[in-house]
Amino acid sequence: MALELKNLYDDFRDGETIKAYAEIIAKDAKKLKNPINIMEVCGGHTHTIMKFGLPQLMPDNINFIHGPGCPVCIMPKERIDHAYILAMQPDVILVTLGDMIKVPGSHGSLQDARAKGADVRFVYSPMECIKIAQDNLNKKVIFFAIGFETTTPMTAVLVEQVIKQKIPNILFHINHVTVPEVMVELIDSRDVHVDSYNNRIDAFLGPSHVSVISGSKIYDKFPKDYGRPVVVSGFEPVDVMQGISMIVKQFIEERCELEIQYKRVVNHEGNLNAQKLIDTYFEKIDLFRWRGLGNVPESGLKLKDEFAFLDAEVVYKNVLPLAEIEDHKLCICGDILRGMAKPPECTIFGTVCKPTTPIGSCMVSSEGACAAYYKYGNLL
């Protein structure tokens, strides 16, 4: 019998196993001294939690807080504007990943730019840029790179190949960000005016695919320095339920540790070859502005100075504005991304703002919390 894709995930979506974990969690939760708030950092976890109705399975003293883990959602408008402006430059082909196409900036979305004649293309792999560049030698191909640690190695591979093959017409606009720094910001804000955003995060459900690259070691400091346990969990509902169970048991047993639920893929050290590749071409920037969170120190990457000739922000610096741009006044994506609100609390959620007419990035991205609530909210 041929192996099918569903054979690989069926067991991790088994209803009886999910119910069994729900019973274990409910039994253990009775022993908790206080309610616990668990932030799932990754948007993939948010969608699993909503799609499979996991909040309904939780006892009253366990609450989910949705984190900022969607690379499109956290992109500030000024960077979206950069993509739009670059796309409108003469003899430019702007290439990016699919979710970026519909995100609105102050000038409109990349979809709007394409409607006005700009050559905007989305790809599944950054390496597709090479063929596009070879077929359009008279144009600049600008790869607008987004994503967390998960996608950064793919951009690094493209940079490496551009240099090795001496491809003259590929540039990069780098928007890669890193997870641990923003987790710190959420629980120990450097801004005294926001009091760590007035949220209470007791534990983290750690991202899985990020951890495949970086290893779970990037979360070592949270139990040690901040008193927050972290359980790195897979994306399937059984994974998430087991991860929650592990967190609850830590509180009952008065432990505060880093644990890996997703052991079939994640280890402590991560992918050392990918990490080396990233370190070869990228370095941290002092500040990266996260939508709704502001400037988070050392949470973003840029090309090293020696590769500045490939940096679209350098090459096109005269046309790219630096001013910060605030969100729509009625949009509360910022509050949602920092765990202070949930999508239904927004006055325009599901009315003015919906997937067909998104106002905020949390609705436009397939990983956004608002998109998850809109698509699966009837399950609550």
Side-chain angles (χ1 to χ4, degrees):
M1 181 178 174
L3 181 68
E4 297 181 9
L5 180 60
K6 72 182 190 70
N7 299 134
L8 301 177
Y9 61 68
D10 269 355
D11 288 345
F12 296 101
R13 297 182 181 181
D14 179 66
E16 293 304 314
T17 306
I18 293 170
K19 290 178 183 177
Y21 269 116
E23 292 173 4
I24 292 170
I25 292 168
K27 181 179 178 181
D28 286 344
K30 293 177 182 178
K31 304 173 188 175
L32 290 170
K33 295 178 181 179
N34 299 295
I36 57 174
N37 297 309
I38 302 171
M39 173 173 276
E40 82 279 0
V41 180
C42 182
H45 282 145
T46 303
H47 273 255
T48 294
I49 288 167
M50 295 302 298
K51 180 178 180 179
F52 292 93
L54 302 191
Q56 282 186 308
L57 302 178
M58 293 297 110
D60 292 340
N61 56 347
I62 296 177
N63 178 51
F64 290 114
I65 299 178
H66 309 310
C70 161
V72 172
C73 298
I74 62 92
M75 198 69 60
K77 276 192 172 182
E78 58 267 22
R79 285 185 173 265
I80 298 168
D81 282 357
H82 278 201
Y84 184 98
I85 291 167
L86 289 170
M88 298 301 292
Q89 298 304 302
D91 299 321
V92 162
I93 300 173
L94 190 105
V95 181
T96 190
L97 303 181
D99 271 359
M100 277 300 302
I101 295 293
K102 295 181 181 179
V103 183
S106 60
H107 301 294
S109 66
L110 289 176
Q111 187 169 260
D112 296 328
R114 185 155 59 179
K116 294 178 181 179
D119 193 343
V120 178
R121 309 184 191 186
F122 70 89
V123 294
Y124 292 104
S125 167
M127 297 303 287
E128 295 177 52
C129 290
I130 294 177
K131 179 70 163 57
I132 294 171
Q134 290 171 340
D135 291 343
N136 297 274
L137 294 175
N138 61 332
K139 294 186 177 182
K140 291 291 185 186
V141 176
I142 301 176
F143 181 59
F144 192 83
I146 63 168
F148 298 109
E149 291 91 337
T150 313
T151 57
T152 308
M154 295 189 292
T155 304
V157 169
L158 178 59
V159 173
E160 184 173 67
Q161 289 304 310
V162 167
I163 293 170
K164 283 184 176 180
Q165 297 184 37
K166 298 180 180 179
I167 301 172
N169 59 327
I170 293 181
L171 298 174
F172 298 81
H173 191 292
I174 302 299
N175 302 275
H176 287 299
V177 290
T178 52
V179 168
E181 290 77 14
V182 77
M183 290 170 64
V184 170
E185 184 73 9
L186 286 163
I187 57 177
D188 188 24
S189 175
R190 296 159 179 81
D191 187 342
V192 296
H193 301 293
V194 293
D195 188 27
S196 292
Y197 307 110
N198 296 314
N199 57 25
R200 175 59 181 161
I201 301 168
D202 299 304
F204 287 104
L205 204 61
S208 50
H209 293 164
V210 163
S211 306
V212 171
I213 301 298
S214 297
S216 65
K217 64 178 182 286
I218 62 174
Y219 314 115
D220 281 342
K221 60 187 170 187
F222 293 98
K224 294 178 181 177
D225 300 338
Y226 299 101
R228 303 308 203 281
V230 178
V231 173
V232 179
S233 166
F235 280 131
E236 296 298 338
V238 170
D239 291 322
V240 174
M241 293 295 282
Q242 184 181 12
I244 295 165
S245 178
M246 292 167 71
I247 289 173
V248 173
K249 288 185 186 299
Q250 286 203 39
F251 279 89
I252 292 171
E253 297 167 7
E254 297 184 347
R255 294 184 289 116
C256 184
E257 300 173 3
L258 166 64
E259 294 185 293
I260 303 173
Q261 178 277 332
Y262 200 35
K263 289 182 178 178
R264 62 188 185 272
V265 177
V266 175
N267 60 47
H268 188 254
E269 294 303 314
N271 187 326
L272 298 179
N273 288 332
Q275 293 168 30
K276 182 179 179 181
L277 195 63
I278 292 169
D279 292 341
T280 298
Y281 298 105
F282 300 115
E283 62 186 6
K284 293 276 190 175
I285 56 177
D286 292 338
L287 295 170
F288 188 100
R289 197 167 93 90
W290 291 57
R291 195 169 194 164
L293 293 169
N295 288 303
V296 180
E298 298 188 336
S299 64
L301 299 176
K302 74 178 189 72
L303 286 165
K304 289 183 175 180
D305 289 344
E306 62 200 274
F307 307 115
F309 65 96
L310 297 174
D311 193 337
E313 289 190 79
V314 174
V315 175
Y316 288 92
K317 63 181 179 181
N318 292 332
V319 298
L320 297 178
L322 300 176
E324 297 178 357
I325 302 171
E326 297 305 319
D327 285 329
H328 190 286
K329 289 182 179 180
L330 294 178
C331 176
I332 65 166
C333 274
D335 290 340
I336 292 166
L337 290 170
R338 59 183 186 260
M340 289 178 62
K342 292 186 177 178
E345 297 174 46
C346 180
T347 58
I348 58 174
F349 171 77
T351 55
V352 176
C353 184
K354 48 191 176 182
T356 52
T357 55
I359 301 297
S361 56
C362 296
M363 183 64 83
V364 79
S365 169
S366 62
E367 290 189 8
C370 292
Y373 271 73
Y374 187 88
K375 188 172 183 179
Y376 306 117
N378 63 309
L379 299 177
L380 291 179

